[in-house]
Amino acid sequence: IIEGLTMIFLDLPQDAWRSIATHLSPPDILSFLSVNRKIHELSTSSSFWGLLLCRDRDEEDDSSSTNNTNRNHNCAENDLRKQFMIQSYKRYIPYVKWMPLDCNDVIPAREG
């Protein structure tokens, strides 16, 4: 039964995969793309990355109520996957606890 469901799931059209991916967070999208070779084919499409990039920019604009005049211009650039990854992970930077380093202290080398 599980094998049959897996085959039905993998036989979904590309538009279905795209729709599923647009409802996932950036880390989940990367996991989703690595599930199967057929699903991974989405990652070769610049329109897929452009869709995700614009989707996330829309969410940011809605939450902060900022002006979004440059959004469509930036979505037309060449390396959309790279832009999406940078934009997505910049969102997580505020959640990192930053600790100041004292330049005078020697940091021991890591072993193992």
Side-chain angles (χ1 to χ4, degrees), residues 7-92:
M7 292 307 294
I8 291 171
F9 184 69
L10 293 176
D11 287 337
L12 290 172
Q14 285 276 11
D15 289 339
W17 300 125
R18 187 181 307 262
S19 178
I20 292 168
T22 59
H23 292 88
L24 299 174
S25 67
D28 292 338
I29 289 170
L30 298 179
S31 296
F32 180 67
L33 291 174
S34 66
V35 167
N36 184 281
R37 183 170 286 165
K38 287 179 81 172
I39 299 171
H40 183 72
E41 290 174 7
L42 276 177
S43 68
T44 61
S45 168
S46 63
S47 64
F48 172 70
W49 295 109
L51 174 70
L52 294 173
L53 185 64
C54 290
R55 173 203 71 172
D56 286 356
R57 286 185 178 164
D58 283 340
E59 289 175 4
E60 287 176 5
D61 290 341
D62 290 343
S63 65
S64 62
S65 299
T66 59
N67 187 0
N68 56 10
T69 55
N70 294 327
R71 181 178 5 138
N72 293 332
H73 171 69
N74 290 337
C75 289
E77 294 180 15
N78 291 336
D79 198 0
L80 296 173
R81 181 182 182 275
K82 183 177 179 180
Q83 288 180 33
F84 171 75
M85 299 299 283
I86 290 170
Q87 174 186 304
S88 298
Y89 286 97
K90 278 184 181 179
R91 183 179 296 167
Y92 293 99

